[in-house]
Amino acid sequence: MPQTLKACATLPHPMAPIMTPVTRFIRESEEVFTFDLAPEQVAPFMPGQFNMLYAFGVGEIPISISGDSHAPERLTHTIRAVGPVSAALGKLKAGDRVGLRGPFGVGWPIQEYKGFDVLLIAGGIGLAPLRPVIYWLLRHRAAYGRVGVLYGARTPDDLIFRAELEEWRRTPDFQLGVAVERAGPEWTGDVGYVTPLLSKLRFDPADTVAMICGPEVMFRATALALEDAGIADSRIFVSMERNMKCAIGHCGHCQFGPHFICKDGPVHPYDRVRNLLSYREL
Amino acid sequence: MKDIAELLRHHPFAEGLDEDTMALIAGCAKNVVRQPGDYFFREGAAADSFYLVRHGAVALEAFVPGRGTFTFLTIKAGEILGADWLIPPYRSSFDARAIELTRAISFDGKCLRDKCEADPRVGYEMMKRFIPPLLKRLQSARMQALGMYDAANA
Amino acid sequence: MAKADEAAAVITVEGLQDLLRAIRARGYRAIGPTLQNQAIVYDDIESIDDLPRGWTDEQDGGLYRLTRREDEALFGYSVGPQSWKKFLHEPRLRLWTAERRGEDTSVTPEAPPSDRLAFIGVRACEIRAIEIQDRVLVGDLYVDPHYKARREGALIVALNCGKAGGTCFCVSMHAGPRVKHGFDIALTELLDGTEHVFLVETGSDEGRAILEQIPHDLASSREVDAAEAVIAQTASSMGRQMRSDDLNELLMNNLEHPRWNEVATRCLTCANCTLVCPTCFCTSVEDASDLTGERAERWRRWDSCFTMDFSYIHGGSVRASTKSRYRQWMTHKLATWIDQFGSSGCVGCGRCITWCPVGIDITEEVCAIRGCDASAEESV
Ligand SMILES: Cc1cc2nc3c(=O)[nH]c(=O)nc-3n(C[C@H](O)[C@H](O)[C@H](O)COP(=O)(O)OP(=O)(O)OC[C@H]3O[C@@H](n4cnc5c(N)ncnc54)[C@H](O)[C@@H]3O)c2cc1C
Ligand code: SF4
Ligand code: SF4
Ligand code: FES
């Protein structure tokens, strides 16, 4: 499968990270930061795949790759500081080293849907795992139909990739909708939840693939809205999150019914998980 | 200026409405324009009208002492603005400010209520058009209240 | 290791001693059942005198008791709390050590063990359990180097059970009691008033080579029949039964069955069942660093889906209720394992029943969800 590139499966010690230098560190917002790593051994990755990042002495967490899959020699990650490991990663600077394992998982099925209209819907930090798809689409623009990106965030201050959002807004044949939940008077964009913006996008539901990344409650609501708009649930893809300790199918933590989110996902077709999602605490 | 019924016909709110009802409710309507920064209504004031936005954008705002004004919803062309005129005491519960040059059809609330009261068929037609967008907004408001972009998946 | 492939041999009790000596002489560290803290525990053995000769066990839901046998059987008990998992998939393992010197940071993976272990007295259900863990830890895209090293170096001296434990149901899970494959040597203990011998089958070149080194006779047809009878007797005296052909559908179609709430009122989420289970493979990792912050380590340890942390994601645990954690355990063992790895995750060893402090019984819980009366449960 093209969207599963697992270079490190051949390593003798799949649980041992490789200490990798940070080459660039930028702050996106108060809580969110982005850094690039220059891997010793360049491994190809697909949009939607993730790495395990280790902060020295603190711990290791799954983080999606947020950069361009055409330039895997620069591994970009965008992280929201929420706890010990993510906060420790937020204190890094260029020249520091991060433990790296990956890439892992099954990414977005972007190659399988050439010729389709593509809708990307992101909530919060969920824009980061979708950014490689945007890069892919821009690079192979002619191979796809209409493109629409919707992005919801808490407030204008929480928006990430702001300069690029402006660029994408100006890009021809690229529909971008951004909605924040609340804003001060200086904000002239949309305020409200992200799903209602769907009605503003042009796409042909019969020939559309949709990819959603955000918290579970958000993607459940969004997937329903997409179905209402006529998109088949087998062409709606969601990226799921579960506790992960190994990313290689050995620790058992990421199980979701019969699925291991680390190796069968994180990206799943909605029709595969929708029934299971209806059970609480599965 | 275009006939008000004609403007009404082009708004999604009136989609599928029969000519008689269209003419009937047009009798309560007029065309309005607000400059950016102008208010459609203010919190606490009498809610005597409701609007069908034709062009532009309107921010629904609340003022929080110490934190300032913040917008919690924007309303765009094709949407409806104002619900407080429907139920007593007919008082607006927040500010609605044009953020762009905004054109809208304004309805006199009392006039419309009276017509619905007189002909329940008209009342039911109106209800079918008000409830769906209000319900959608309620659902969105619930997602926003849950702070869902930042929550964990649990 | 293959199926038993040739005429069986017979050895005496002294022959078993020779067998052990030959195995150790070939460089194996011999591990077998011993008597420790009122239980049968797998540990290093040097001679057959270390085996729990003349002991047996009584097992039931939440109950384990050792008692004396009338005879001098060396393997006259069923499985104890621990399985071979503790040697193959170690409870605690350092994965790597990292060192930082200025700009330079290096990670040194823990070398896989090079010792070769000989497991003495591995039951059919335990062989099945090892094969199930093989599938998880070395049979997928990623390979666990520590497990693989131990597993490849291991010699399996299997045992056809001469006694079914009070909580055994390997017959229902098609995992025993007869050892059919996956061994180097397989023993059946034969013991009547006059004779105490072991029927020996070999399943690999290594097993044959070892047998060649010790005195043995060709088994007579009477001895072969006697071994058959022992296995048949064990098979017909299982302590528990559970219909197992439809469990995936049964459980996954009943994820909201009221029984989950009921069992949650009894379950203490102590995780005993997952720790004693020979197939449970879940682990967590722990990071440590020294005071100077120059040296760090990562350890792996057994974990359990019964702990709250297991499913933690920022903000809370996905499985916060006891109900959801019990349901994860049972649906994983009996249902989703089949989708994930092509077989059930349960071999019917009964450990989870015996070692549950409140005696929760997986066969009974299945029965309740099936809506049957426990005593009417049919084995399939
Ligand atoms: C496939 C995948 C991709 C992800 N991509 C990104 C990304 O691009 N950017 C980003 O900011 N975050 C991402 N996350 C979430 C990120 O992994 C968690 O925020 C992080 O684990 C929190 O760890 P912590 O130590 O900072 O905080 P704590 O909340 O204290 O976490 C403690 C431990 O719990 C576990 N844990 C906590 N939250 C999560 C979680 N949401 N998912 C999985 N394990 C968790 C981890 O083992 C962590 O070490 C991703 C998660 C997954 C599963
Ligand atoms: S679930 Fe229970 S009976 Fe089945 S293998 Fe595990 S411990 Fe043995
Ligand atoms: S039952 Fe629980 S502890 Fe055992 S393998 Fe399954 S998830 Fe892991
Ligand atoms: S993260 Fe360990 S099994 Fe998926």
Side-chain angles (χ1 to χ4, degrees), chain C residues 168-181:
Chain C
C168 288
F169 58 105
C170 62
V171 169
S172 303
M173 302 314 293
H174 311 289
R178 171 187 282 292
V179 173
K180 291 185 183 147
H181 49 80

Side-chain angles (χ1 to χ4, degrees), chain C residues 13-29:
Chain C
V13 173
E14 292 70 44
L16 188 67
Q17 184 73 284
D18 294 334
L19 183 76
L20 205 55
R21 202 174 296 128
I23 287 170
R24 285 160 49 88
R26 290 172 87 87
Y28 290 102
R29 177 181 149 201

Side-chain angles (χ1 to χ4, degrees), chain A:
Chain A
M1 276 213 282
Q3 76 271 28
T4 65
L5 295 170
K6 294 181 177 175
C8 80
T10 56
L11 295 181
H13 290 275
M15 287 294 282
I18 297 171
M19 298 309 290
T20 307
V22 174
T23 50
R24 187 181 64 123
F25 186 103
I26 50 174
R27 201 150 273 292
E28 301 279 354
S29 69
E30 200 180 313
E31 291 177 338
V32 181
F33 52 90
T34 293
F35 56 65
D36 295 347
L37 303 177
E40 203 172 280
Q41 275 166 357
V42 177
F45 72 89
M46 280 301 294
Q49 286 196 290
F50 67 97
N51 284 318
M52 293 298 279
L53 299 184
Y54 166 66
F56 193 90
V58 185
E60 187 183 51
I61 56 173
I63 297 293
S64 303
I65 306 171
S66 67
D68 190 344
S69 55
H70 291 85
E73 67 282 0
R74 189 183 60 226
L75 282 179
T76 307
H77 299 88
T78 302
I79 303 168
R80 188 161 79 98
V82 296
V85 183
S86 49
L89 292 171
K91 295 196 186 87
L92 295 169
K93 51 188 189 319
D96 290 346
R97 275 161 198 269
V98 172
L100 171 70
R101 296 194 291 128
F104 296 113
V106 178
W108 305 104
I110 191 70
Q111 283 176 322
E112 286 85 329
Y113 286 97
K114 289 212 170 99
F116 280 71
D117 290 353
V118 184
L119 298 185
L120 309 180
I121 299 119
I125 191 76
L127 184 59
L130 281 171
R131 188 169 68 166
V133 182
I134 299 177
Y135 291 150
W136 180 287
L137 291 170
L138 292 175
R139 199 177 283 261
H140 305 280
R141 188 62 192 86
Y144 296 89
R146 280 165 287 202
V147 169
V149 176
L150 299 182
Y151 170 36
R154 241 176 345 186
T155 72
D157 288 341
D158 293 304
L159 294 173
I160 58 173
F161 309 147
R162 269 179 254 188
E164 281 179 306
L165 286 173
E166 283 317 306
E167 246 175 68
W168 297 334
R169 196 186 296 288
R170 289 191 304 268
T171 304
D173 291 333
F174 191 103
Q175 311 171 73
L176 177 69
V178 177
V180 295
E181 291 184 329
R182 62 191 129 81
E186 66 293 344
W187 172 257
T188 55
D190 285 297
V191 181
Y193 206 61
V194 65
T195 43
L197 294 186
L198 258 184
S199 61
K200 310 279 196 282
L201 296 183
R202 277 163 292 114
F203 58 92
D204 174 2
D207 275 315
T208 295
V209 60
M211 306 178 193
I212 319 172
C213 192
E216 207 160 292
V217 187
M218 177 258 175
F219 75 60
R220 292 203 316 252
T222 308
L224 290 180
L226 289 167
E227 279 188 320
D228 294 345
I231 303 176
D233 60 2
S234 58
R235 274 186 281 106
I236 299 172
F237 292 82
V238 299
S239 183
M240 291 200 49
E241 242 181 82
R242 281 295 181 271
N243 186 300
M244 289 188 183
K245 294 294 178 201
C246 74
I248 60 176
H250 289 180
C251 78
H253 282 251
C254 68
Q255 289 178 76
F256 176 59
H259 311 297
F260 281 87
I261 300 299
C262 71
K263 58 174 188 176
D264 305 329
V267 174
H268 294 269
Y270 187 59
D271 62 348
R272 193 204 288 168
V273 291
R274 69 174 305 161
N275 181 33
L276 294 170
L277 283 166
S278 68
Y279 298 103
R280 290 184 187 178
E281 299 191 300
L282 200 71

Side-chain angles (χ1 to χ4, degrees), chain C residues 208-227:
Chain C
R208 275 184 289 280
I210 293 168
L211 182 62
E212 282 317 309
Q213 284 185 290
I214 62 166
H216 62 275
D217 291 321
L218 211 60
S220 68
S221 64
R222 187 183 55 81
E223 286 159 333
V224 171
D225 290 348

